[in-house]
């Protein structure tokens, strides 16, 4: 089974049966979509999945899924553990109904059955059950965890200001904890997730920014990748080649302001900013350079005389040790230099990826993106290196 | 308490309807969208990047001429106007209006709002 969340799937691989995974959610972030996405992705895989609702009626939950484009009712392998309806005195037709949702023994009886009969249980809000039934909930949770040899339990847990021993206990009872939080100190107000703990594989990835898209769900988000390089190297062509949607402010065949592209790739949403190449526009480079998370330097492989300028642009845009990759463009031309020659002429360290591209034909452009993403995500996105 | 984003969005809501303002956004100086009150059909991220470039280029152009930093950039077209102004060192405020918008009123509201944004973002 997989979590169905971009990047986490690459880093964590398959979740072995018998494991519990907790999405530990900052109250300021609408994080319930994480558990829902995990459930839906596994429904599509054909696993028997049950969603435990304690905060919303089954109907509202179904509508909530629909907001993201997920019609759970099309799946026979979907069921709901209803901890809500009887709480508000409503009638429930769900497969699993708890008659008295304030009574842990009663919940336990139904949960045991659900765990027995499903491959995946997702708690829509474990914290709410804790709020209603008290700390004893976690004793039962431990039993469910022991019971679930064949099943994976995934929980959304909103981190209200609980006592530390409660939070510590939740952490201990989880084989993996994914932290979902908000960022306030930067100009960009974003949300991120990162792996806090995992015990079946040896990775600790960096935090990933994300966006929630309706429909679509959780997308890893990279708000700015800069595409820069000398005049006429093929930056604008490159941006258009990788983007689903792109616009450029070009006049007389050269970029006078910027290129902007939206990329959808491997669960990532990326905003790409292409810069002008000519020196007279360098003030714009300064305007656009801020807050980039990575740089793609496009060079015309047939023009070594432009490499010093390329190097200068790289220095202007990667001041703080920002990760970068080189697109050795125009490889369709007979005079094009090979990546190794470019590395030597530009005096670039051995570990800087230099990737041959033909932007006009879209060749190699996604390899460039792969290389940069793997530098950005660290922890060995793509090829697991086990580095933090 | 409302999050910073909610507060910024609240500030933008104040602008809605003032002197024919149709849409507004807060954009970081380097072109990232911070908050917006714009219809879904607009590519808001691209709009944000363009606006930052526009204001950045205008500021560079005037300061190169020794004319200091401009207060705002106003773009007038038959279909409407776009007005961008600084809102503190980190951000800028941009609005789109109907063609016949009352510019005096819009500018007055914008200066109030950009001051609030400056306080919120520092
Ligand atoms: N043969 C070949 N031509 C290319 C390739 N990529 C781009 N070009 C051409 O190179 C020229 C410049 O491409 P642009 O994408 O505008 O280059 P740019 O780097 O954005 O240029 P500036 O914005 O003016 O700095 C165009 O004529 C492209 O068609 C390539 O891989 N092979
Ligand atoms: Mg260009």
């Amino acid at each position: 089974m997989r979590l169905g969340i971009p990047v986490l799937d690459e880093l964590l691989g398959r979740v072995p049966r018998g494991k519990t995974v907790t999405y530990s959610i900052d109250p300021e972030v609408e994080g319930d979509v994480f558990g829902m996405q995990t459930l839906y992705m596994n429904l599509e895989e054909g696993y028997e999945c049950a969603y435990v609702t304690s905060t919303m009626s089954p109907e509202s939950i179904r509508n909530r899924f629909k907001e993201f484009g997920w019609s759970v009712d099309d799946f026979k392998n979907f069921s709901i553990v209803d901890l809500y309806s009887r709480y508000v005195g409503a009638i429930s037709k769900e497969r699993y109904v708890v008659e008295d949702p304030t009574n842990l023994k009663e919940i336990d009886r139904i949960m045991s059955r659900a765990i027995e009969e499903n491959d995946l249980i997702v708690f829509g809000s474990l914290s709410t059950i804790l709020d209603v039934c008290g700390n004893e909930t976690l004793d039962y949770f431990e039993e469910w965890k022991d019971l679930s040899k064949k099943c994976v339990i995934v929980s959304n847990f909103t981190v209200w200001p609980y006592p530390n021993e409660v939070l510590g206990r939740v952490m201990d009872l989880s084989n993996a904890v994914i932290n979902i939080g908000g960022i306030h100190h930067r100009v960009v107000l974003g949300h991120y997730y990162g792996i806090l703990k995992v015990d079946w594989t040896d990775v600790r990835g960096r935090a990933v920014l994300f966006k929630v898209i309706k429909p679509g769900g959780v997308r890893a988000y990279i708000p700015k990748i800069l595409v820069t390089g000398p005049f006429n190297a093929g930056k604008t062509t490159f941006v258009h080649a990788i983007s689903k949607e792109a616009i450029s402010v070009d006049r007389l065949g050269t970029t006078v302001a910027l290129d902007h592209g939206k990329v959808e790739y491997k669960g990532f949403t990326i905003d790409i900013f292409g810069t002008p190449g000519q020196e007279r526009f360098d003030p714009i480079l300064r305007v656009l350079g801020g807050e980039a998370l990575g740089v793609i330097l496009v060079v015309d492989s047939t023009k070594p005389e432009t490499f010093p300028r390329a190097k200068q642009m790289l220095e202007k845009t990667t001041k703080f040790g920002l990760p970068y990759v080189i697109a050795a463009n125009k490889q369709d031309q007979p005079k094009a230099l090979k990546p190794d020659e470019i590395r030597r002429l530009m005096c670039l360290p051995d570990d800087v990826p230099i990737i041959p591209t033909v932007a006009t034909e879209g060749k190699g452009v996604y390899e460039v993106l792969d290389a940069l993403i793997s530098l950005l995500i660290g922890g060995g996105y793509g090829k697991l290196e086990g580095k933090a | 308490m409302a999050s910073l984003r909610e507060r910024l969005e609240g500030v933008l809501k104040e602008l809605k309807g003032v002197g024919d303002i149709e849409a507004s956004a807060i954009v970081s100086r380097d072109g990232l969208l911070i908050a917006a009150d714009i219809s879904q059909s607009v590519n808001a991220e691209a709009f944000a990047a363009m606006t930052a470039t526009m204001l950045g280029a205008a500021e560079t152009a005037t300061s190169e001429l020794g004319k200091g930093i401009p207060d705002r950039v106003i773009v007038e077209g038959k279909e409407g106007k776009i007005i961008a102004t600084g809102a503190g060192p980190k951000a800028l405020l941009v609005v789109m209006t109907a063609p016949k918008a009352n510019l005096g009123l819009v500018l007055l509201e914008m200066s109030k709002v950009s001051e609030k944004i400056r306080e919120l973002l520092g």
Side-chain angles (χ1 to χ4, degrees), chain A residues 149-295:
Chain A
K149 292 283 173 284
K150 291 198 321 249
C151 158
V152 171
I153 299 181
V154 173
S155 316
N156 289 326
F157 186 91
T158 308
V159 190
W160 299 109
Y162 292 111
N164 278 341
E165 61 266 25
V166 172
L167 296 177
R169 184 98 192 276
V170 171
M171 187 90 173
D172 290 342
L173 289 174
S174 312
N175 297 99
V177 178
I178 314 301
N179 194 20
I180 298 158
I183 295 175
H184 314 282
H185 63 277
R186 295 196 353 170
V187 178
V188 189
L189 309 170
H191 298 147
Y192 70 91
Y193 55 85
I195 302 165
L196 217 60
K197 160 182 171 176
V198 55
D199 69 1
W200 66 82
T201 169
D202 184 26
V203 282
R204 266 188 298 142
R206 277 183 218 171
V208 190
L209 295 173
F210 73 93
K211 258 191 176 178
V212 175
I213 298 185
K214 293 180 189 175
V218 178
R219 297 302 195 111
Y221 178 48
I222 302 178
K224 190 188 277 184
I225 284 181
L226 213 57
V227 175
T228 193
F231 170 58
N232 214 41
K235 301 175 292 296
T236 299
T237 314
F238 184 95
V239 170
H240 285 255
I242 51 172
S243 302
K244 150 183 100 145
E245 222 182 290
I247 41 175
S248 297
V249 186
D250 274 30
R251 291 296 178 267
L252 308 176
T254 191
T255 305
V256 297
L258 80 166
D259 313 298
H260 184 273
K262 278 190 175 185
V263 177
E264 296 285 343
Y265 181 63
K266 286 192 177 167
F268 280 88
T269 293
I270 307 173
D271 284 332
I272 303 264
F273 287 61
T275 74
Q278 304 193 65
E279 279 176 60
R280 62 175 180 278
F281 297 117
D282 279 4
I284 302 223
L285 207 63
R286 245 194 345 266
V287 174
L288 296 178
E291 298 211 55
L293 293 180
V295 174

Side-chain angles (χ1 to χ4, degrees), chain B:
Chain B
M1 199 179 68
S3 71
L4 183 51
R5 182 195 293 271
E6 284 163 354
R7 273 180 281 167
L8 289 167
E9 280 168 356
V11 166
L12 289 182
K13 289 231 169 59
E14 291 175 23
L15 280 174
K16 190 115 192 174
V18 171
D20 287 328
I21 292 178
E22 289 169 347
S24 59
I26 302 168
V27 177
S28 72
R29 290 266 179 182
D30 52 21
L32 296 174
L33 192 64
I34 297 176
D37 182 8
I38 290 185
S39 100
Q40 288 283 340
S41 60
V42 178
N43 181 346
E45 282 81 8
F47 176 70
M50 296 300 155
T51 313
T53 314
M54 215 165 71
L55 190 63
E59 289 180 351
T60 311
T62 53
S63 65
E64 286 296 307
L65 290 172
K67 295 288 181 196
I69 298 292
D71 296 330
R72 66 189 71 86
V73 170
I74 302 179
V75 181
E76 299 194 6
K78 285 202 178 55
E79 308 286 329
K81 296 187 187 25
I82 294 178
I83 305 154
T85 180
K90 289 182 190 161
L92 57 95
L93 170 69
V94 54
V95 305
M96 284 190 265
T97 74
K100 289 200 286 291
N102 177 343
L103 207 52
L105 184 59
V106 170
L107 295 183
L108 181 68
E109 280 309 310
M110 281 183 78
S111 69
K112 282 191 211 155
V113 163
S114 64
E115 184 58 28
K116 282 187 194 160
I117 297 167
R118 196 183 63 75
E119 279 166 20
L120 284 169
L121 285 175

Side-chain angles (χ1 to χ4, degrees), chain A residues 319-336:
Chain A
K319 268 173 271 170
F320 307 105
L322 228 48
Y324 62 93
V325 297
I326 316 286
N329 197 32
K330 305 200 185 181
Q331 287 291 328
D332 56 327
Q333 299 291 84
K335 278 198 318 172

